Amino acid sequence: MAINDTGVSAVSVGELLAQNLRIPEYQRPYSWQLSTALQLVDDLNDARARSQDVPYVLGAVILHERDGWLDVVDGQQRLLTLRMIFATLQTDDLFSVDEKNETPVIKVWRELQQKLAKLKEDEKEGLLHFIGTKCQLVRVVTDDVDEAFRVFDSQNYRGKPLAPHDLLKAHH
């Protein structure tokens, strides 16, 4: 089945994160560099400072609807980072982990917490509101996994190419 008329929409980050998202087993592990995640925070702060009235578009996410869930086919790194930012802004509780068992996601989360802890309370609330309501993603949903991967290929086989093993994993 192809993407239907309601399968493509602009959705706020808050709306999307409230949906039944899951990361399927075939996805690669979180791999964003610290600099990339921190740059996202800077970009969000800059966009908020420029205009709180104009939506800030963060690109597209491709989702496969299955068994009441939305499997993330493309956009995993961005969504996980946004979720970490969102969670950090919603609480003052910092988490700690054994540094010997640090994964890339733990390292990024720790640095995000440190960076966002420097904001004043009203700045945190303003940024949380901006991300939740004014930051948008183009949400592409299909119930056909083959169609989801065709869209993925067309989105990711432009510009910087994926490694052959990433394309192979995505195909399977």
Side-chain angles (χ1 to χ4, degrees), residues 23 27 60-62 72-80 152 156:
I23 307 299
Q27 283 288 11
V61 294
I62 302 168
V72 179
V73 175
D74 191 32
Q76 169 202 355
Q77 309 289 318
R78 196 169 351 122
L79 285 175
L80 283 173
F152 172 84
N156 288 289

Side-chain angles (χ1 to χ4, degrees), residues 16-149:
L16 187 59
L17 292 179
Q19 296 178 347
N20 287 337
L21 300 173
R22 71 179 173 191
I23 307 299
E25 289 182 18
Y26 58 76
Q27 283 288 11
R28 64 184 177 184
Y30 184 84
S31 63
W32 265 21
Q33 297 294 317
L34 200 49
S35 60
T36 306
L38 295 175
Q39 184 63 54
L40 178 57
V41 173
D42 290 341
D43 292 347
L44 294 169
N45 270 320
D46 291 347
R48 180 174 169 257
R50 278 192 308 275
S51 175
Q52 295 185 27
D53 298 329
V54 178
Y56 183 63
V57 180
L58 294 165
V61 294
I62 302 168
L63 307 167
H64 171 227
E65 189 170 19
R66 184 172 60 121
D67 302 327
W69 289 88
L70 294 170
D71 287 347
V72 179
V73 175
D74 191 32
Q76 169 202 355
Q77 309 289 318
R78 196 169 351 122
L79 285 175
L80 283 173
T81 306
L82 286 166
R83 183 67 196 119
M84 287 186 277
I85 293 168
F86 221 65
T88 300
L89 290 170
Q90 289 176 318
T91 182
D92 289 329
D93 297 333
L94 299 179
F95 77 94
S96 61
V97 293
D98 181 2
E99 290 187 23
K100 291 180 275 185
N101 296 324
E102 278 195 351
T103 62
V105 73
I106 297 296
K107 289 177 184 177
V108 166
W109 199 333
R110 178 183 296 111
E111 291 296 322
L112 287 172
Q113 287 180 327
Q114 290 175 2
K115 183 176 184 86
L116 295 170
K118 296 175 184 173
L119 297 177
K120 296 176 186 165
E121 199 56 41
D122 63 323
E123 292 173 322
K124 287 181 187 179
E125 290 174 14
L127 185 57
L128 180 64
H129 177 75
F130 179 75
I131 295 169
T133 62
K134 295 297 181 186
C135 291
Q136 296 180 340
L137 294 153
V138 176
R139 179 178 168 257
V140 179
V141 180
T142 180
D143 61 356
D144 180 353
V145 72
D146 290 334
E147 180 66 16
F149 285 111

